[in-house]
Amino acid sequence: MVATAILGASGFAGQETLDRVLAHPELELVALGSDSLAGRTADALDPRLARNGHGPLPVFVPNDEALGADAGLIFCCLDNEAAAELEPPADTVVVDLSGAHRLVDPAVHAEWYPGPGANGDWCYALPELDPPTGPLIANPGCYATAALLALVPIVDAIAPGGIVVDAKSGVSGAGRALKESSHAAAVLENVSPYAVGAHRHAPEIGQVLGFPVCFVPHLLPVRRGLIATCYVEPRGELRPLLEDAYDGSHVVSVLPAGQVPDLARVQGTDSAEVGLFEDSTTGRAIVICAIDNLGKGAAGQAVQNANLALRLDETAGLRLSGVLV
Amino acid sequence: MVATAILGASGFAGQETLDRVLAHPELELVALGSDSLAGRTADALDPRLARNGHGPLPVFVPNDEALGADAGLIFCCLDNEAAAELEPPADTVVVDLSGAHRLVDPAVHAEWYPGPGANGDWCYALPELDPPTGPLIANPGCYATAALLALVPIVDAIAPGGIVVDAKSGVSGAGRALKESSHAAAVLENVSPYAVGAHRHAPEIGQVLGFPVCFVPHLLPVRRGLIATCYVEPRGELRPLLEDAYDGSHVVSVLPAGQVPDLARVQGTDSAEVGLFEDSTTGRAIVICAIDNLGKGAAGQAVQNANLALRLDETAGLRLSGVLV
Amino acid sequence: MVATAILGASGFAGQETLDRVLAHPELELVALGSDSLAGRTADALDPRLARNGHGPLPVFVPNDEALGADAGLIFCCLDNEAAAELEPPADTVVVDLSGAHRLVDPAVHAEWYPGPGANGDWCYALPELDPPTGPLIANPGCYATAALLALVPIVDAIAPGGIVVDAKSGVSGAGRALKESSHAAAVLENVSPYAVGAHRHAPEIGQVLGFPVCFVPHLLPVRRGLIATCYVEPRGELRPLLEDAYDGSHVVSVLPAGQVPDLARVQGTDSAEVGLFEDSTTGRAIVICAIDNLGKGAAGQAVQNANLALRLDETAGLRLSGVLV
Amino acid sequence: MVATAILGASGFAGQETLDRVLAHPELELVALGSDSLAGRTADALDPRLARNGHGPLPVFVPNDEALGADAGLIFCCLDNEAAAELEPPADTVVVDLSGAHRLVDPAVHAEWYPGPGANGDWCYALPELDPPTGPLIANPGCYATAALLALVPIVDAIAPGGIVVDAKSGVSGAGRALKESSHAAAVLENVSPYAVGAHRHAPEIGQVLGFPVCFVPHLLPVRRGLIATCYVEPRGELRPLLEDAYDGSHVVSVLPAGQVPDLARVQGTDSAEVGLFEDSTTGRAIVICAIDNLGKGAAGQAVQNANLALRLDETAGLRLSGVLV
């Protein structure tokens, strides 16, 4: 069993990480960090934990204490600023779910994120396409994950210019903090483009692809789930590239021709669906990827990255079947 | 007062047209056509009509009878097949809300629509940009309206290739007919790309612009409202072109820089909001248009077109202020 | 024209009141009060106001200044605490949309509300059933309005014990303030009983009926609209009592037997629907009332009360037809 | 392993039953019945099954064939009419999820259901309160389940008259069939009381309690989940009765005082939450139960009943932890 700590467990990503750690056959929670919940038991975050019958409930400790808990694995669910200040212990696998260590170029980092951060010794890791190469892992952003799952396998077979990624996410992607834009009266019966032309996940996508893409996120009246509709100009057959990339994957499915990725089928899971279409009037290709923003887009991928770094079964502790209807 | 008939009044577009005709100062309803509701009073469609205190309720008649009612204005809210068969009476303004007469090229029409139809003597009319030139008016589709309001004013200042229109619509856009895709269990907590690469509004948009665009519609868990996010490569200043096009319009607003079009502000109205943004990483321009799919996207625009054809006040009977929150 | 001031215009009820005042043929806005928006123009609250073409936009002033603006009519949309401190100018009609002056008994008031408040010189007024008797008007709460429209006309024909009011409201009823319970991630795909057995509108309903009722509110994943399902034990015919009470009303409709009140038909309006049913297994009667919580449940009723107090047309400025689908 | 057949697997309840059977350690699917899907593989119902990696996909057979498949356990997910005609094989445990065998009194059955049906040799079984006593099991209705979990433990400590059950359900409770009332345009931004005073689950609840209750269901703009708010007049302490009834249960939780049952915590699970409150103005008690209408309200309870009848672990194959946010 790998001793595991979570920092910043009180947000959505932290709570989802906790769920997966508790269900993981090879991980043992040794420290549950949250400055706001320190001293309280885990059911303060999720009342269901009080009735899991698995013995005494974990108690929240301050994040600093969790960091020093001598864990072999740390999930960092802190905000960008706090994560940027993190000094990872030696000989520890750290998966940072924030954006603090995603961007390699310090100048680009400084443009989009506060604090020092930047990539340094961290590796940006997307399990299916670019697995972790070291113990310090920058977990991809939710939008970037969906866009990259759609685009990385075909990057050499599409024109590098003119790529558009139009993405739509459920409101949990915006986090648990109270904001005007997350008020239900602003979200219900609405769909809201935001950070138009200026979202942090655009340079992250561009960094992996090697060229910039035009990316616009939209907020949906949906609790969880994210879909990225990607428009590209093909320069060859794309379907075999996608199918090869995810052949044998238990996480990412390439759908048969004509079948559209469906949010309902990936909600509550760590899996992803990818669909490929041709536009009849322009010949462009449309690649659509659906994930759960908190699953494959955050906590699920973090656990998957940790499994790879620790040489555990890649899908241990993941949720691969979900709840439909 | 212009004697007015509605054919196919029992669908969403027909009901909304009825609402506007009853509130219109210059139109007088003389025939309310619906084969399915023939013989029943109008409150069978909308119980609120029973309490409007405006005298006896109109009674539905078969569509054929409504067509022969000697009206000076006919709104045709029939389906594509029935509308294609319509033989318009002489000396009558007819606004066809279906797709039967939108496509000019008979070969293109035949590819996308059943029945004869095609454009013939009909004029495709978008009031702000391309007002009606004759009495037989093909009212634009909802997606086409949003895309064209965003793109027509700037068409000469953008690259004709690589345009992407990613549109999202409320479920009323799919009509009142019962379909699996309109079942609430399929719509709630979901967003569904559909007819990917093969939607009838793509050739309609392309016909007006003069070149094809890549268009994908998505179904939202929203009752009404539609947003089109349009991605273009600019070849000059776009904002002045948009502002000039809608200067003085009481229907279409160009928002100040930085303000995002909002579904909530146009729902239940016949107005439109257009916003312009620059993508910081690619230099592309993003033009977003929000409308109510049943207002500016259907019945409101139909009434606006009728007003122009009849030389009435352009906005008579329109809903220009809405309900917020 | 009656010079009109609004205090606390930046919340939902204030914004809705502003909408109605601007559309009212006999009211002229002379002061728009909001401490948080003071100095800004009205489009800071609602961008649509910038394009109404009705001349210069009103500018927000501090609430104190609005109070001293020598208006003949004041709408007080302040919170309970601030409204309780209000010292109304002489010879002014004041409609208080808060709960500060609803409860007559000071002891009961003190149990449910902070600050002095209580009823004093104020009259609790529900236009159809209990019109204002003086210039200081306590506007009923949204839940109380729906319950009382259902129950007051039949109060002498039902058993006073065992009445249950189970109410469900859209999230705008909880106000614009940011709260965990209004976060979209808590509201979507959920329905939440709250303040169970202990909501302020319970004593308000009981005060009017003359006996206590058991009232539980629930929060819906809906933007606006409220339905109260009321369960009573009948002691005679109820339908004629309801029909008599609302005979000739342009605001409240009693639906024919078998027809269920519908949120969609009252959303965005100041009207109400009441339906009466018999329970086949117990003989109890079920009276259901649907309103828009911000219309008949707040701003619409406030304007209606002001109209009556000022001897204007009762429905001047009200929204009586809405937007369906 | 118990050979298991499912009849009528293409509806929501059937699909959910299939999910649980496939995940059940002691059940082996031997026949998957659906007349509409006969001949197709299971991924026609749920595309995710194609990628579960558990060998060849089951193929649908006609219901008659599934019935004759010599299974030791049959889940009957047929509609009421077809279920009423079912002739169960000897020595087989049959769990009927329809309403055909719930009502004991033939006259009452005839009033509410078509076809012969009625209870006959069937036992109505609610695992925690009234476990199955024979191999033919009538699985309770979703509304009845929630109401009975709240009321059965306290039935001797409350007044038998004046009980109100106000229930709210997600739209999947209305089934997969296409109906006007399930059209998303009717469901979104709405809440709809239906079958007011005349719903089949009212006599079912009354039959178990021993006296009639007043029950009204409401349709929510929610995909899945059901909450029943029950109003009773207490004649003693209720909390100990509830806590005793569910002491040790892994399925039903009685929440601490002050905590409200939450749809989000039971969605996608087979568990239930029960909360108890006192009304401050009338002294009535309010008991609230939240379940997933397709889990504890249908398929989960069916599997639980089957487990008990087959003397398997009561919670084998159930989903007891869910997905939050």
Side-chain angles (χ1 to χ4, degrees):
Chain A
M1 300 290 277
V2 179
T4 303
I6 304 175
L7 313 186
S10 66
F12 288 147
Q15 180 173 348
E16 293 274 322
T17 301
L18 173 60
D19 276 2
R20 283 160 183 78
V21 170
L22 291 176
H24 196 295
E26 305 287 341
L27 303 184
E28 180 181 8
L29 185 73
V30 297
L32 183 61
S34 164
D35 290 346
S36 61
L37 293 174
R40 306 182 62 184
T41 47
D43 59 334
L45 179 62
D46 180 353
R48 297 172 307 170
L49 294 173
R51 45 185 203 261
N52 67 358
H54 296 311
L57 278 173
V59 177
F60 286 99
V61 298
N63 288 318
D64 273 353
E65 191 176 318
L67 181 62
D70 203 23
L73 169 63
I74 295 177
F75 290 104
C76 171
C77 305
L78 301 170
D79 61 31
N80 295 320
E81 287 78 356
E85 306 286 350
L86 190 74
E87 298 189 13
D91 299 323
T92 307
V93 170
V94 182
V95 185
D96 180 9
L97 286 80
S98 87
H101 302 97
R102 290 180 190 150
L103 297 179
V104 175
D105 183 328
V108 177
H109 176 87
E111 188 181 343
W112 294 96
Y113 288 95
N119 206 248
D121 296 331
W122 297 74
C123 58
Y124 182 91
L126 216 166
E128 289 77 12
L129 306 171
D130 201 5
T133 55
L136 301 184
I137 301 169
N139 208 51
C142 53
Y143 287 120
T145 296
L148 294 173
L149 289 176
L151 296 175
V152 167
I154 58 172
V155 69
D156 293 328
I158 57 176
I163 296 175
V164 168
V165 176
D166 186 292
K168 302 94 181 165
S169 173
V171 71
S172 59
R176 185 168 264 157
L178 302 179
K179 305 180 233 182
E180 276 185 41
S181 55
S182 297
H183 190 299
V187 172
L188 285 159
E189 277 288 288
N190 211 345
V191 58
S192 301
Y194 68 98
V196 183
H199 190 283
R200 284 165 170 167
H201 291 188
E204 181 180 338
I205 299 167
Q207 167 180 289
V208 177
L209 294 179
F211 45 77
V213 302
C214 184
F215 163 66
V216 176
H218 299 70
L219 186 68
L220 294 175
V222 157
R223 198 162 49 180
R224 55 194 295 161
L226 184 160
I227 204 163
T229 314
C230 307
Y231 302 83
V232 300
E233 187 185 320
R235 293 186 168 168
E237 282 296 305
L238 303 184
R239 178 166 294 277
L241 299 175
L242 289 167
E243 290 179 344
D244 284 0
Y246 303 116
D247 184 35
S249 171
H250 295 291
V251 173
V252 184
S253 305
V254 179
L255 302 182
Q259 195 173 35
V260 180
D262 187 46
L263 221 57
R265 286 196 299 262
V266 296
Q267 279 165 333
T269 82
D270 301 328
S271 64
E273 290 191 350
V274 177
L276 173 67
F277 300 85
E278 184 188 349
D279 182 48
S280 62
T281 61
T282 65
R284 284 207 145 202
I286 300 150
V287 197
I288 302 174
C289 178
I291 61 172
D292 188 315
N293 53 295
L294 294 174
K296 182 64 177 167
Q301 185 146 273
V303 172
Q304 195 180 356
N305 270 324
N307 288 338
L308 291 173
L310 293 163
R311 301 181 189 279
L312 304 174
D313 174 9
E314 179 179 345
T315 60
L318 298 194
R319 296 176 180 166
L320 294 176
S321 68
V323 173
L324 204 60
V325 176
Chain B
M1 301 291 276
V2 179
T4 303
I6 304 175
L7 313 186
S10 64
F12 288 147
Q15 179 174 348
E16 293 275 320
T17 301
L18 172 61
D19 276 2
R20 284 161 182 77
V21 168
L22 291 176
H24 197 293
E26 306 287 341
L27 303 185
E28 180 181 8
L29 184 74
V30 297
L32 184 61
S34 164
D35 290 347
S36 62
L37 293 174
R40 304 182 64 184
T41 48
D43 58 334
L45 179 61
D46 180 353
R48 297 171 309 168
L49 294 172
R51 44 186 202 261
N52 66 357
H54 297 310
L57 279 173
V59 176
F60 286 99
V61 298
N63 288 317
D64 274 352
E65 190 176 319
L67 181 62
D70 205 21
L73 169 63
I74 295 176
F75 290 105
C76 170
C77 305
L78 301 170
D79 60 31
N80 295 320
E81 288 78 356
E85 306 287 349
L86 189 75
E87 299 190 11
D91 300 323
T92 307
V93 170
V94 181
V95 184
D96 180 8
L97 285 81
S98 87
H101 302 98
R102 289 180 191 150
L103 297 179
V104 174
D105 183 328
V108 177
H109 176 87
E111 189 181 342
W112 295 95
Y113 287 96
N119 206 249
D121 298 330
W122 297 74
C123 58
Y124 182 91
L126 216 166
E128 288 77 13
L129 305 171
D130 200 7
T133 56
L136 301 183
I137 301 168
N139 208 51
C142 54
Y143 287 119
T145 295
L148 294 172
L149 289 176
L151 297 175
V152 167
I154 59 172
V155 69
D156 293 329
I158 57 177
I163 296 175
V164 168
V165 176
D166 186 292
K168 302 92 180 165
S169 174
V171 71
S172 60
R176 185 168 266 157
L178 302 180
K179 305 179 233 183
E180 276 185 40
S181 56
S182 297
H183 191 298
V187 172
L188 285 159
E189 277 286 290
N190 211 344
V191 57
S192 302
Y194 68 99
V196 183
H199 191 283
R200 284 164 170 167
H201 290 189
E204 182 180 338
I205 299 168
Q207 167 179 289
V208 176
L209 295 179
F211 44 77
V213 302
C214 184
F215 163 68
V216 176
H218 300 70
L219 186 68
L220 294 174
V222 157
R223 198 162 47 180
R224 54 195 297 163
L226 183 161
I227 205 163
T229 313
C230 306
Y231 301 82
V232 300
E233 187 185 319
R235 294 185 168 167
E237 282 296 305
L238 304 184
R239 179 167 291 278
L241 298 174
L242 288 167
E243 290 179 345
D244 284 0
Y246 303 116
D247 184 36
S249 171
H250 295 290
V251 173
V252 184
S253 304
V254 179
L255 302 183
Q259 195 172 33
V260 180
D262 187 47
L263 222 57
R265 287 197 298 264
V266 298
Q267 280 165 332
T269 81
D270 301 327
S271 64
E273 290 191 351
V274 177
L276 173 67
F277 300 85
E278 184 187 348
D279 182 48
S280 62
T281 60
T282 64
R284 284 209 145 202
I286 301 150
V287 198
I288 303 174
C289 178
I291 61 173
D292 187 315
N293 53 297
L294 295 175
K296 183 64 179 169
Q301 184 145 275
V303 170
Q304 194 180 356
N305 269 324
N307 288 339
L308 291 173
L310 293 163
R311 302 182 189 282
L312 305 174
D313 175 9
E314 181 179 343
T315 60
L318 298 194
R319 296 176 179 165
L320 295 177
S321 67
V323 173
L324 207 58
V325 175
Chain C
M1 301 290 277
V2 179
T4 303
I6 304 175
L7 312 186
S10 64
F12 289 147
Q15 179 174 348
E16 293 273 321
T17 301
L18 173 60
D19 276 1
R20 283 161 182 77
V21 168
L22 291 176
H24 197 293
E26 305 286 341
L27 303 184
E28 180 181 7
L29 184 73
V30 296
L32 184 60
S34 164
D35 290 347
S36 61
L37 292 174
R40 304 183 63 184
T41 48
D43 58 334
L45 179 61
D46 180 353
R48 297 172 307 167
L49 294 172
R51 44 186 203 259
N52 67 358
H54 296 311
L57 278 173
V59 176
F60 285 98
V61 298
N63 288 316
D64 274 353
E65 190 177 319
L67 181 63
D70 205 22
L73 169 63
I74 294 176
F75 290 105
C76 170
C77 305
L78 300 170
D79 61 31
N80 295 319
E81 289 75 358
E85 306 287 349
L86 189 75
E87 298 190 12
D91 300 322
T92 306
V93 171
V94 181
V95 184
D96 180 8
L97 284 81
S98 88
H101 301 98
R102 290 179 190 151
L103 297 178
V104 175
D105 183 328
V108 178
H109 175 88
E111 190 182 340
W112 294 95
Y113 287 96
N119 205 248
D121 297 330
W122 297 73
C123 58
Y124 182 91
L126 216 165
E128 289 77 12
L129 305 170
D130 200 5
T133 56
L136 301 184
I137 301 168
N139 208 52
C142 54
Y143 288 119
T145 296
L148 294 172
L149 288 176
L151 296 175
V152 167
I154 59 172
V155 69
D156 293 329
I158 56 176
I163 296 175
V164 168
V165 176
D166 187 292
K168 301 95 181 164
S169 174
V171 71
S172 60
R176 185 168 266 158
L178 302 180
K179 306 180 233 184
E180 276 184 40
S181 55
S182 297
H183 191 298
V187 172
L188 285 159
E189 276 288 291
N190 211 344
V191 57
S192 302
Y194 68 98
V196 183
H199 191 283
R200 284 164 171 168
H201 290 188
E204 182 181 338
I205 299 167
Q207 168 179 288
V208 177
L209 295 179
F211 44 77
V213 302
C214 184
F215 163 67
V216 177
H218 300 69
L219 186 67
L220 294 174
V222 158
R223 197 162 49 179
R224 53 195 298 164
L226 183 161
I227 204 163
T229 313
C230 307
Y231 302 83
V232 299
E233 187 185 320
R235 292 183 168 169
E237 283 296 306
L238 303 185
R239 179 166 291 277
L241 298 173
L242 288 167
E243 290 179 344
D244 284 1
Y246 302 115
D247 183 35
S249 171
H250 295 290
V251 173
V252 185
S253 304
V254 179
L255 302 182
Q259 195 172 34
V260 180
D262 186 48
L263 222 56
R265 286 196 299 262
V266 297
Q267 279 165 333
T269 82
D270 301 328
S271 65
E273 291 192 350
V274 177
L276 173 67
F277 300 85
E278 184 187 348
D279 181 49
S280 62
T281 60
T282 65
R284 284 207 145 202
I286 300 149
V287 197
I288 302 174
C289 179
I291 62 173
D292 187 313
N293 53 295
L294 295 174
K296 183 65 178 167
Q301 186 145 272
V303 171
Q304 195 181 356
N305 270 324
N307 287 339
L308 290 172
L310 293 163
R311 301 182 189 283
L312 304 174
D313 175 9
E314 181 178 343
T315 60
L318 297 194
R319 296 177 180 165
L320 294 176
S321 67
V323 173
L324 207 59
V325 174
Chain D
M1 301 290 278
V2 180
T4 304
I6 304 175
L7 313 186
S10 64
F12 289 147
Q15 179 174 348
E16 293 273 322
T17 301
L18 173 61
D19 277 1
R20 284 161 183 78
V21 169
L22 291 177
H24 197 294
E26 306 286 341
L27 303 185
E28 180 181 9
L29 184 72
V30 296
L32 184 60
S34 164
D35 290 346
S36 62
L37 293 174
R40 306 182 62 184
T41 48
D43 59 335
L45 179 62
D46 181 352
R48 297 172 307 170
L49 294 173
R51 44 185 201 258
N52 67 357
H54 295 313
L57 279 172
V59 176
F60 286 99
V61 298
N63 288 317
D64 273 354
E65 190 176 319
L67 181 62
D70 204 23
L73 168 63
I74 295 177
F75 290 104
C76 170
C77 305
L78 301 170
D79 61 31
N80 295 320
E81 289 76 356
E85 307 286 350
L86 190 75
E87 298 190 13
D91 300 322
T92 307
V93 170
V94 182
V95 184
D96 180 9
L97 285 81
S98 87
H101 303 96
R102 291 180 190 151
L103 297 179
V104 175
D105 183 329
V108 177
H109 175 87
E111 189 181 341
W112 294 96
Y113 287 95
N119 207 249
D121 297 330
W122 296 74
C123 59
Y124 181 92
L126 216 165
E128 288 77 12
L129 306 171
D130 201 6
T133 56
L136 301 184
I137 300 168
N139 208 51
C142 54
Y143 288 120
T145 296
L148 294 172
L149 289 176
L151 297 175
V152 166
I154 59 172
V155 69
D156 293 328
I158 56 176
I163 296 175
V164 167
V165 176
D166 186 291
K168 302 92 180 166
S169 174
V171 70
S172 59
R176 185 168 265 158
L178 302 181
K179 306 180 231 181
E180 276 185 39
S181 55
S182 297
H183 191 298
V187 172
L188 285 160
E189 276 287 290
N190 212 345
V191 56
S192 302
Y194 68 99
V196 183
H199 191 283
R200 284 164 169 166
H201 290 188
E204 182 180 339
I205 299 168
Q207 167 180 290
V208 176
L209 295 179
F211 45 78
V213 302
C214 184
F215 163 66
V216 176
H218 300 70
L219 186 67
L220 294 174
V222 158
R223 198 162 48 180
R224 52 194 299 163
L226 183 160
I227 204 163
T229 314
C230 306
Y231 302 83
V232 300
E233 188 184 319
R235 292 184 168 169
E237 283 296 305
L238 304 184
R239 178 166 292 277
L241 298 174
L242 288 166
E243 290 178 345
D244 284 0
Y246 303 116
D247 185 35
S249 171
H250 295 290
V251 173
V252 184
S253 304
V254 179
L255 302 182
Q259 196 173 35
V260 181
D262 187 47
L263 221 56
R265 285 196 299 262
V266 297
Q267 279 165 332
T269 82
D270 300 327
S271 65
E273 291 192 350
V274 177
L276 173 68
F277 301 85
E278 184 187 349
D279 182 49
S280 62
T281 60
T282 65
R284 283 206 146 201
I286 300 150
V287 197
I288 302 175
C289 179
I291 61 172
D292 187 315
N293 53 295
L294 295 174
K296 183 65 178 168
Q301 184 145 273
V303 171
Q304 195 181 356
N305 270 324
N307 288 339
L308 291 173
L310 294 162
R311 301 181 189 282
L312 304 174
D313 175 10
E314 180 179 344
T315 60
L318 297 195
R319 296 177 180 166
L320 294 176
S321 67
V323 174
L324 205 60
V325 176

